[in-house]
Amino acid sequence: MKRTQSNNRLIQWIDERLPVFSYADHNVLAYPTPKNLNYWWNYGSIAGIVLVIMIVTGIFLAMNYQPHTDVAFASVERIVRDVNYGWLLRYLHMNGASMFFIVVYIHMFRGIYFGSYKAPREILWMVGVTIYVVMMATAFMGYVLPWGQMSFWGATVITNLFSAIPIIGDYIVTWVWGGFSVDVPTINRFFVWHYLLPAIILGLVIVHLWALHVHKSSNPLGIDIKTPQDMMPFHPYYTIKDLYGLGLFMIFFMYFVFFQPNFFGEADNYIPANPMVTPPHIVPEWYFLPFYAILRAIPDKLGGVVVMFAGVLILYVLPWLDTSKVRSATFRPIYKQLFWLFVANCLFLGWLGGKPTEGVYVIMTRLATGYYFAFFLVLMPLVGRLEKTKPLPNSIYEEVAKKCRAKED
Ligand code: HEM
């Protein structure tokens, strides 16, 4: 029985025994996709490509890296200076981490704007949040590996947060460190986790796509697919659109790799770690700054830690906090404004996270933290119930046809 669209006899022979080609036909080539996806739907596939780049460059870096406090810093310098194309591997990996977060943040904000987390895609969203949490852990441990000043002090400050937990806090910190300070066992275990977690992310991405393929992609109108006319095959329409987006993204990515490789980094991390000298400002990588700001907004250590983790974990319950029956913000005039204010507020929190905790910065950080939580806990549930939404279109197909006619006129 012929399962694939291909007439090639070898492909058919393999497919009868291991249906990889018919699987690809079904899930990639002929995969039914809404007709109206815009460029905000490119970021999922771009994230997938960045993940692959991170894993491949990471494997080659690991062939030359030494996870020991005596030589870790020097081994990274050796990679950059002496290993063939080591500079390229390191700059791809280093900037790739920032790119990964940029792409995933856009992907998440897209989800929040278009209500992609709403039924029946709650589990898809929650798997996404788990990917994000594991990404943060991976990035945190990766940053410790070059063993510069920021690596050491960042690791010391952040792991110390666990000591705020009553009774068992100090035990947890010693357990995480593998000793009584950030030292040889710490860097060694962080290297192990940093190598292992991306494989877990890859597994989670497979589950993410599995969940996506059950109900298929949502779309900018947020209305359900009703007839086959609303859809078109993924290939060639979205393969080409994704490739175009990927090309633009790669230009952006490569600009940093080749022209500004240290743009996202901290100069202090080019000083070897020194437990006897504390840098004047200990700042995490930019992608953690909003949460670092939230941590410092609360005057109490334990309170700060709890609120900071709550800031991430609240994303899990988003599908239930948003009470609106309408998915897309396109038809929600009030929510749309609040959403953009939320985006600006996140950027503002990020900026504040890099500022010292003094004077007016403290007040601004508290206000921004207040809006962050109010958006999820107060505004989303209330606006969802009270807002008067705009009328929804009848079908995706009608909207697409209307746009095409408008272009022709
Ligand atoms: C390694 C990281 C990730 C990869 C590779 C990935 C991959 C993808 C892909 C390929 C899609 C389909 C195309 C698209 O809609 O852009 C998608 C959809 C989606 N992703 Fe992700 N994703 C990642 C992380 C996340 C995170 C962190 C979240 C949320 C916290 C998330 C939530 C979603 C949602 C809700 C959809 C469905 C969107 C819709 O159809 O409207 N993803 N993802």
Side-chain angles (χ1 to χ4, degrees):
M1 189 184 69
K2 183 174 173 256
R3 297 158 184 258
T4 87
Q5 289 173 11
S6 169
N7 289 324
N8 182 308
R9 302 235 340 241
L10 178 63
I11 289 183
Q12 285 180 16
W13 186 89
I14 297 173
D15 205 68
E16 271 164 32
R17 285 144 186 91
L18 183 71
V20 276
F21 295 101
S22 48
Y23 185 84
D25 277 351
H26 189 75
N27 283 294
V28 186
L29 303 180
Y31 176 66
T33 321
K35 271 187 175 154
N36 59 338
L37 295 189
N38 60 28
Y39 282 104
W40 298 113
W41 264 258
N42 278 37
Y43 288 87
S45 61
I46 296 178
I49 303 285
V50 180
L51 177 64
V52 172
I53 294 177
M54 294 304 282
I55 292 176
V56 172
T57 52
I59 290 171
F60 282 98
L61 284 172
M63 291 178 190
N64 295 286
Y65 171 75
Q66 296 281 328
H68 191 288
T69 53
D70 289 347
V71 283
F73 187 91
S75 76
V76 173
E77 282 306 297
R78 189 185 153 267
I79 289 173
V80 175
R81 288 155 201 262
D82 295 337
V83 172
N84 289 335
Y85 293 100
W87 58 273
L88 183 59
L89 289 173
R90 184 179 187 217
Y91 289 153
L92 280 170
H93 200 75
M94 218 169 98
N95 288 285
S98 283
M99 294 301 137
F100 204 6
F101 276 95
I102 292 176
V103 169
V104 166
Y105 278 137
I106 296 176
H107 189 64
M108 290 165 76
F109 280 124
R110 181 284 311 261
I112 300 178
Y113 184 88
F114 292 106
S116 299
Y117 47 78
K118 282 178 188 259
R121 296 185 183 80
E122 299 95 323
I123 293 186
L124 166 64
W125 170 262
M126 291 162 83
V127 175
V129 178
T130 311
I131 294 176
Y132 175 54
V133 171
V134 182
M135 264 176 75
M136 292 210 275
T138 311
F140 167 68
M141 287 188 259
Y143 194 57
V144 179
L145 303 182
W147 206 242
Q149 273 290 67
M150 246 358 136
S151 304
F152 176 81
W153 289 99
T156 304
V157 170
I158 301 300
T159 47
N160 243 316
L161 292 177
F162 290 108
S163 68
I165 302 170
I167 307 169
I168 52 165
D170 286 335
Y171 292 106
I172 295 182
V173 177
T174 313
W175 179 68
V176 170
W177 284 345
F180 298 101
S181 66
V182 173
D183 209 331
V184 180
T186 327
I187 197 172
N188 205 14
R189 60 193 50 197
F190 277 21
F191 180 50
V192 171
W193 281 112
H194 186 69
Y195 205 130
L196 180 68
L197 290 181
I200 293 177
I201 297 180
L202 197 61
L204 287 167
V205 168
I206 292 168
V207 178
H208 191 63
L209 295 182
W210 184 10
L212 176 79
H213 281 216
V214 177
H215 291 286
K216 316 280 185 281
S217 285
S218 177
N219 62 82
L221 297 172
I223 53 176
D224 289 331
I225 288 169
K226 287 179 193 129
T227 64
Q229 273 188 316
D230 292 338
M231 297 183 284
M232 58 191 188
F234 189 84
H235 181 73
Y237 302 103
Y238 288 111
T239 30
I240 204 72
K241 191 162 180 161
D242 276 353
L243 276 175
Y244 175 67
L246 179 68
L248 292 182
F249 165 76
M250 288 308 271
I251 293 172
F252 177 72
F253 183 3
M254 292 309 132
Y255 169 76
F256 288 101
V257 171
F258 291 109
F259 297 102
Q260 299 279 344
N262 292 299
F263 179 83
F264 296 103
E266 276 292 322
D268 270 9
N269 226 27
Y270 279 100
I271 303 170
N274 184 350
M276 309 303 281
V277 179
T278 317
H281 295 298
I282 302 175
V283 275
E285 290 282 79
W286 68 265
Y287 33 82
F288 293 131
L289 287 175
F291 298 106
Y292 195 52
I294 294 178
L295 168 77
R296 298 186 310 169
I298 313 293
D300 171 67
K301 189 173 172 188
L302 178 60
V305 174
V306 170
V307 175
M308 179 184 73
F309 280 111
V312 180
L313 299 181
I314 201 168
L315 293 171
Y316 276 111
V317 287
L318 211 63
W320 296 277
L321 291 173
D322 184 349
T323 51
S324 173
K325 297 223 158 35
V326 173
R327 275 200 198 105
S328 172
T330 315
F331 305 103
R332 303 183 57 192
I334 301 175
Y335 175 77
K336 193 194 268 184
Q337 314 285 332
L338 297 171
F339 167 83
W340 287 114
L341 195 58
F342 175 73
V343 175
N345 189 64
C346 288
L347 295 172
F348 187 46
L349 269 173
W351 178 74
L352 288 165
K355 296 283 165 209
T357 19
E358 58 193 32
V360 71
Y361 294 130
V362 178
I363 301 162
M364 291 197 288
T365 308
R366 286 187 189 154
L367 287 174
T369 302
Y371 184 71
Y372 182 91
F373 285 99
F375 176 75
F376 290 125
L377 295 173
V378 182
L379 298 172
M380 266 198 165
L382 274 186
V383 173
R385 282 206 183 89
L386 304 176
E387 179 181 40
K388 190 169 170 352
T389 53
K390 291 188 193 165
L392 293 177
N394 288 330
S395 77
I396 295 174
Y397 172 72
E398 267 181 32
E399 278 300 294
V400 173
K402 217 196 281 171
K403 266 198 180 164
C404 291
R405 275 198 298 272
K407 267 193 194 149
E408 277 166 15
D409 292 342

